[in-house]
């Protein structure tokens, strides 16, 4: 983690080389909200800061993930707006979406100050904080 200047003060800047994957369980996520920071296209490696404007649709794209203590939640990313159930298994966060498809996440420590989540959503690698 490093600090970057923004109009409103300082904000976290993602340095994936400095991240360390950490062990977690359900209590790590209960009642949390995560906001999209960056998306990486795993094919090209292109990184896009969120929010960004989707060139195909002209719409602004951001991301938000809500994880409730009762194992339910909600994901809003691109065209995906889905209620979900979630659980942890073998150090992987599993999200089961409406319609029968899944997303998977891992948790990373950003130099002891911030937690980052990498969530695979379809083909995208989505970084949330």
């Amino acid at each position: 983690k490093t600090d970057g200047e923004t109009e409103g003060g300082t904000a976290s800047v993602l340095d994936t080389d400095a991240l360390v994957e950490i062990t977690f369980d359900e209590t790590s996520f209960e009642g949390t909200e995560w906001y999209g920071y960056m998306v990486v296209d795993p094919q090209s490696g292109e990184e896009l800061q969120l929010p960004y404007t989707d060139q195909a649709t002209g719409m602004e794209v951001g991301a938000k993930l809500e994880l409730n203590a009762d194992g339910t939640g909600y994901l809003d990313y691109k065209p995906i707006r889905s209620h979900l159930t979630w659980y942890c298994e073998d150090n992987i966060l599993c999200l089961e979406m409406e319609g029968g498809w899944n997303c998977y996440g891992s948790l990373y420590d950003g130099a002891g100050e911030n937690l980052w989540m990498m969530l695979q959503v379809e083909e995208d690698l989505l970084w949330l904080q």
Side-chain angles (χ1 to χ4, degrees), residues 93-104:
L93 174 66
C94 303
L95 308 178
E96 295 181 351
M97 306 290 173
E98 294 175 335
W101 56 276
N102 301 328
C103 297
Y104 302 96

Side-chain angles (χ1 to χ4, degrees), residues 16-80:
T16 55
D17 294 331
L19 296 178
V20 177
E21 189 170 2
I22 60 175
T23 302
F24 56 85
D25 60 19
E26 278 86 358
T27 59
S28 304
F29 295 104
E30 289 178 350
T32 60
E33 292 184 355
W34 299 79
Y35 294 91
Y37 180 83
M38 181 174 71
V39 62
V40 180
D41 180 328
Q43 302 299 323
S44 68
E46 181 182 11
E47 299 176 353
L48 293 171
Q49 300 292 313
L50 295 174
Y52 69 89
T53 301
D54 185 320
Q55 301 211 1
T57 65
M59 299 181 70
E60 188 173 87
V61 177
K64 181 180 179 185
L65 173 64
E66 298 175 17
L67 300 174
N68 303 319
D70 65 359
T72 64
Y74 190 79
L75 176 65
D76 185 349
Y77 172 64
K78 282 190 170 180
I80 301 163

